[in-house]
Amino acid sequence: MLDDVRTTLRVGWIDPALKTLTFEPDFLTAAWAATRPNVTKTFAAGAERLQAEALESARAVVRPADVSGWARTELGGVDRERLVRTAQAFHHSAARVYLVVQAWAVLARRQDIPGTGKEESPAKRGVPSWQESLSSGSRTVSAEAEALVDDTTVALGLSSTPGSLLAAAGWPHYLELLAGDLRAADAERWREAVLALRRTASEVLGSLPHPMALQWDVLERKGITEERRAVVADHLTAATAAMPANALIAAAMWCSLGTPETPSEF
């Protein structure tokens, strides 16, 4: 099922916020079954809107320094290419993952998403070939980089680490530069940007065509008790709280590397 999530969302990996839900496979299956029909043109357009807002906010609030020159001179060709591809992939996937995590958090709280009732064709699917190499294996993260990721997560007021920040840890010096830009951002403007992205995500979910609800009576018969539902809801609430930051950080990474053009097959 996770492969279907990856293919449908057009991402080369499964975000940790989604992958860790394998501890409740029945909820995971039901939530994806409710969500998958809504990965339509409206979903894609909403994700693009979120992505554009994150980019605008990252430029205005984070103001990431352009390190593309540093990357060209300090990183080997393969290493530089992987960093650039990682930044591109996260920038273009963060909004899609955000919408799914937000939808699942709503469903886990026993709330429904009504749907507009409009018929729509599905969005384009399939993981672009340029992302495939990013899905296998992970870079070794040093203890120092891991500590910096943790410190930055706390500094941003999050209880769940944004995947884009963790991805940057594979390049320790780049992580230092990025973390410095994030820490220098004005706290009030950052908060306003996060709230704006949350509002947009809610609006996008409200514009999706098909109703989303879970058959909790069936899930309860499969063993998902109220206590277990609450654990899932708490997990997804924490993950959702990190999603605006994830999108902002991903946009900042993309900007810092010179806004590299994404391959046209995306």
Side-chain angles (χ1 to χ4, degrees):
M1 193 211 76
L2 289 179
D3 279 342
D4 186 50
V5 174
R6 190 169 67 91
T7 301
T8 303
L9 296 182
R10 311 205 74 210
V11 296
W13 65 93
I14 296 296
D15 189 274
L18 305 180
K19 193 172 185 178
T20 53
L21 276 175
T22 53
F23 74 88
E24 285 291 3
D26 290 325
F27 174 86
L28 186 63
T29 300
W32 180 237
T35 307
R36 190 180 191 277
N38 274 314
V39 184
T40 61
K41 291 183 177 180
T42 294
F43 180 96
E48 289 176 1
R49 177 184 169 193
L50 265 177
Q51 178 185 316
E53 288 188 16
L55 178 58
E56 182 179 359
S57 294
R59 284 172 167 159
V61 179
V62 181
R63 298 178 181 177
D66 188 337
V67 299
S68 54
W70 167 83
R72 283 192 299 271
T73 59
E74 299 299 323
L75 296 179
V78 173
D79 210 25
R80 181 175 65 252
E81 177 72 8
R82 187 171 181 83
L83 173 58
V84 169
R85 286 286 183 258
T86 297
Q88 289 173 316
F90 270 89
H91 177 49
H92 286 88
S93 68
R96 291 170 170 79
V97 173
Y98 185 175
L99 291 174
V100 172
V101 173
Q102 176 71 16
W104 290 5
V106 171
L107 297 177
R109 293 194 290 267
R110 284 184 173 268
Q111 298 168 336
D112 298 336
I113 299 174
T116 63
K118 298 178 180 178
E119 289 298 322
E120 291 188 20
S121 56
K124 186 177 181 180
R125 300 184 179 186
V127 179
S129 60
W130 63 269
Q131 286 192 39
E132 286 291 356
S133 63
L134 302 177
S135 64
S136 57
S138 59
R139 295 174 63 89
T140 301
V141 176
S142 68
E144 292 79 7
E146 188 173 349
L148 182 54
V149 166
D150 291 343
D151 289 346
T152 305
T153 298
V154 172
L156 294 176
L158 302 172
S159 58
S160 179
T161 301
S164 52
L165 183 61
L166 187 60
W171 296 266
H173 185 58
Y174 177 73
L175 174 65
E176 291 177 11
L177 299 174
L178 177 65
D181 289 335
L182 294 172
R183 288 172 176 271
D186 180 80
E188 181 59 25
R189 295 188 70 191
W190 175 274
R191 187 184 70 83
E192 291 172 355
V194 165
L195 290 175
L197 288 174
R198 286 177 179 166
R199 286 193 295 271
T200 298
S202 295
E203 290 173 7
V204 172
L205 290 180
S207 71
L208 297 179
H210 303 292
M212 281 189 271
L214 296 185
Q215 295 177 293
W216 283 107
D217 55 339
V218 174
L219 289 174
E220 286 169 356
R221 288 198 295 272
K222 290 183 177 181
I224 298 184
T225 62
E226 182 63 17
E227 290 75 18
R228 289 170 66 179
R229 180 201 63 79
V231 170
V232 172
D234 288 345
H235 167 78
L236 286 168
T237 296
T240 300
M243 288 293 106
N246 188 52
L248 288 168
I249 294 168
M253 289 174 64
W254 187 66
C255 283
S256 72
L257 293 166
T259 62
E261 184 178 356
T262 302
S264 59
E265 67 170 307
F266 189 88

